[in-house]
Amino acid sequence: MRVYKFRSKKWGLRALEDNELKVSPIEGLNDPFEYLAVNLGNKSVRKFIRERRKFLDNNSGVISFCKRWSNPVIWAHYAEEHQGLALGFDVPDNLLFKMQYSDDRIPFDASSIKDADALKKVMEHLGKTKFKHWEYEEEYRLLFDLNRARKKSPDGELFLQSFEDDLMLKEVILGCRYEGGENLELEKKLIEQGVKITTSRAAFQTFTMTNQSSSKLQKRL
């Protein structure tokens, strides 16, 4: 499946130069309800779920993607107000999980804590459920072992995943307000690797972003 990662210009170029994407621990994600979508009105359930979430935060991380790059709101929120870029990756369908969206918190019977099968289903559901207002992202995720992704970098300890067969860069879409032209060697390298580089623009008849068809208006990396 082709999925898209939106980045600011600085971090998008860094990803392209280093052939790596950042893996985010649970606490590093921008939604405080991550893995907390269950109804936490019961004190014992609240304590248990928070402990499970802490364990996951210490051991698991995710890379979040969007199904498509045409939504202008996503560009505004995650690509520096259209000054950044979107990276298109091919990822095997079986490795991605699709997020679900709900208006209501997930009910949870405290007795399920002692039922291994029921608990597994609830935790899987938790990992895929977000508040309905996030629905515009059409999010898909890759799950990672943080110990595998742990690396040192000039910015300190980060969790990074290299581009590889299961995370194959296929295209780069430059935002309609992107200002570049100083990264032509990188651009040449990407094109030689078969990566398609295009420019986005506001569509003429719908509230969507689309490919810039005019070669004269194509931006340079």
Side-chain angles (χ1 to χ4, degrees):
M1 176 184 286
R2 181 68 55 85
V3 288
Y4 297 90
K5 185 69 177 177
F6 291 80
R7 305 298 284 161
S8 67
K9 179 181 179 180
K10 175 183 176 180
W11 295 113
L13 290 174
R14 173 73 69 85
L16 293 173
E17 289 166 352
D18 296 343
N19 293 300
E20 293 177 322
L21 280 183
K22 180 183 176 183
V23 178
S24 297
I26 306 304
E27 282 289 351
L29 297 169
N30 62 357
D31 182 3
F33 289 93
E34 292 287 352
Y35 284 85
L36 294 176
V38 70
N39 188 317
L40 299 177
N42 182 295
K43 187 175 181 179
S44 61
V45 170
R46 184 161 63 247
K47 180 177 183 295
F48 177 80
I49 293 296
R50 284 176 173 171
E51 288 174 350
R52 293 296 300 172
R53 185 179 188 272
K54 184 176 181 180
F55 173 82
L56 289 170
D57 179 61
N58 290 333
N59 294 278
S60 301
V62 300
I63 299 180
S64 298
F65 300 95
C66 296
K67 183 178 180 179
R68 64 189 92 241
W69 62 265
S70 57
N71 190 328
V73 180
I74 296 175
W75 281 95
H77 289 174
Y78 295 110
E80 204 175 2
E81 298 176 348
H82 295 261
Q83 298 174 79
L85 53 162
L87 310 181
F89 292 90
D90 280 354
V91 181
D93 291 4
N94 64 305
L95 297 182
L96 290 165
F97 62 93
K98 183 179 180 180
M99 296 303 291
Q100 303 168 359
Y101 304 93
S102 175
D103 276 325
D104 302 310
R105 305 286 281 271
I106 301 168
F108 186 79
D109 184 348
S111 63
S112 297
I113 293 174
K114 297 181 180 179
D115 185 330
D117 290 336
L119 181 59
K120 181 181 178 180
K121 290 180 181 179
V122 169
M123 294 309 297
E124 288 177 351
H125 196 177
L126 276 180
K128 297 178 180 180
T129 303
K130 297 184 71 172
F131 180 39
K132 192 172 180 62
H133 284 211
W134 292 100
E135 195 169 23
Y136 75 98
E137 294 184 346
E138 296 182 277
E139 184 179 355
Y140 283 79
R141 287 182 176 179
L142 267 174
L143 188 65
F144 289 93
D145 178 352
L146 287 185
N147 292 315
R148 175 189 167 201
R150 190 185 305 268
K151 294 185 180 181
K152 294 288 185 179
S153 81
D155 302 301
E157 186 174 61
L158 293 175
F159 303 101
L160 301 165
Q161 175 60 37
S162 300
F163 300 169
E164 54 188 30
D165 291 344
D166 290 340
L167 184 63
M168 189 172 290
L169 180 68
K170 287 294 187 179
E171 60 180 316
V172 175
I173 302 99
L174 306 179
C176 64
R177 296 173 179 165
Y178 184 92
E179 294 183 3
E182 69 274 18
N183 302 284
L184 300 185
E185 283 298 316
L186 177 59
E187 178 180 281
K188 179 182 177 182
K189 174 186 171 185
L190 291 170
I191 292 173
E192 288 174 348
Q193 293 173 349
V195 177
K196 182 180 180 182
I197 302 177
T198 58
T199 302
S200 68
R201 68 163 174 82
F204 297 138
Q205 300 185 60
T206 61
F207 286 113
T208 58
M209 306 307 295
T210 189
N211 278 314
Q212 174 58 260
S213 58
S214 171
S215 59
K216 294 181 180 180
L217 296 177
Q218 292 291 330
K219 299 175 182 290
R220 303 298 298 275
L221 192 62

